[in-house]
Amino acid sequence: MIKDYPRIATLKTADDFVAEVKKQGLDIPFDPEVTPAPEGALAQPFFLPNGRKIGNRFCVHPMEGWDCTHDGKPSDYTVRRWRNFGLSGAKLIWGGEAAAVRPDGRANPNQLMILDETMSSVEALRKGLIAEHLAHFGTIADLLVGLQLTHSGRFSRPNEKTKLEPKILYHHPLLEKIYNVSPDTPVMTDDEIDDLIGYYVRAAKRAQVIGFDFVDVKHCHGYLGHEFLSSYTRPGKYGGSFENRTRFLREIVKGIQSECPGLLIGVRVSIFDFPPFRPDKDNVGYMMEYRDENGRYPFAFGGDPDHPGQVKLDEPIAFLELLEEIGVQLVNFSAASPYYNHHVTRPAYFPPSDGYEPPEDPLVGVARHIRVDAELKKHVKNLACVGSGYSYLQDWIPNVAQAVVRQGMIDFVGLGRSTLSYPELPADVLNGCTLKRTHICRTFSDCTTAPRKGLISGCYPLDAFYKGLPECQQLKKMKKGLL
Ligand SMILES: Cc1cc2nc3c(=O)[nH]c(=O)nc-3n(C[C@H](O)[C@H](O)[C@H](O)COP(=O)(O)O)c2cc1C
Ligand code: SF4
């Protein structure tokens, strides 16, 4: 299929980019000049309510590499990735990557785990990041590092890379069709959920003991925490009302506050969601159709049940109010799920192997992230807010990042994929250096295609380290269907 929207790399000047945004009728703020540190908006510190200083407005999003050992310890690849996060220059490191609170909750058999047996190696991971940051930037006093705590729920693959062993909270007819999950699959009982809460609290304690500043009680991307928020059809104390659907989070937060005094708490949340998308005959994504007996789509937290595929912010706003009320300090806005509607979560020109061609210009997806995050931030008093989806902007990340922070639309610009291909991009922006064009993530999606095909993740196209691995040749052959 020939996409009729331009690649960002072909928009050679700021005027070209701004004209394209205008042509599409999008609202993406843009500063023509980017001011380096110390004056620039991106270089300004942020202070949490407890006075803790975060040195600048760049955040590194959590990104796993499918590269830990089978007992959940980091490998050399994991260590390298975290060291790169440290040398990025970003002063907020959101979780490094998803760490499962127990083995059955892993999204893949090589996911990081935060258990008694893995504590010392996860501590070494954090120390490697800190050491790298200190060596490059001279201080860690204004660096905040968290660990993302996860259970993968419906997307658990703890034993074999290709074998789903789902833990579900309710039956989702569309996802069960896509992933071939039997309608007889049992849902987690309330007792099992009560028990799981303790695993999160113990994981948080371990994270605190080994020096993390905060933990993220992950609520995004279709994993278990996120699934609670859309458990409208679940009976009992964890489903139905807003109060019940947030009980899991509230209980974990209460437990952490009681067991880990002083540990900061963050929540990464898919703040809106759409129904799943599938490839059509031309491999372009289309939205699947489902309506309940009332004619509504009942499974999207932050989505409009009467108009699936549109955002509705009443519950997300209530969710943010709840976070403030229960004493959470940081929120990271993500959206939807990289499994069933990846173009919403991470806008990309090139889809991953198990995905579909984007049904919209990825710039539309970036503008949606920015607009929704800014709208939500208006309702926030005391939370540090991080935005997502910026990597697709490529050469224009600095201009848009400065504009959104300067205008108070978001507190931190979170970077995911661009950190894999070009870890030191934040430092280069803050130092006023011209960006290294050959390092800029062009959203080839190989960092997703590789793990979908059972390989470790990494930026195979642009990172010389991954280019040199045998997996790179393997991936090329797999993409051509030769393996
Ligand atoms: C290889 C890869 C691994 C990821 N792992 C995680 C993860 O462990 N936890 C998480 O919350 N998000 C994860 N994400 C999503 C990113 O944090 C981020 O939200 C997404 O890539 C969009 O941001 P970007 O446009 O800057 O890449 C991952 C993304 C990629 C590409
Ligand atoms: S493989 Fe590299 S260039 Fe492609 S999306 Fe991932 S980080 Fe970006």
Side-chain angles (χ1 to χ4, degrees), residues 417 420 441-447 459 461-462:
R417 293 162 293 179
L420 297 179
C441 166
R442 300 295 175 195
T443 68
F444 295 124
S445 290
D446 279 8
C447 50
C459 183
L462 301 182

Side-chain angles (χ1 to χ4, degrees), residues 8 61 63 346-348 366 388-397 413-421 425 440-443:
I8 297 292
H61 283 317
M63 265 179 309
R346 34 190 201 226
V366 176
S388 300
Y390 290 92
S391 286
Y392 184 72
L393 293 167
Q394 304 171 37
D395 312 68
W396 310 110
I397 291 173
V413 168
L415 296 176
R417 293 162 293 179
S418 49
T419 316
L420 297 179
S421 69
L425 182 145
I440 295 174
C441 166
R442 300 295 175 195
T443 68

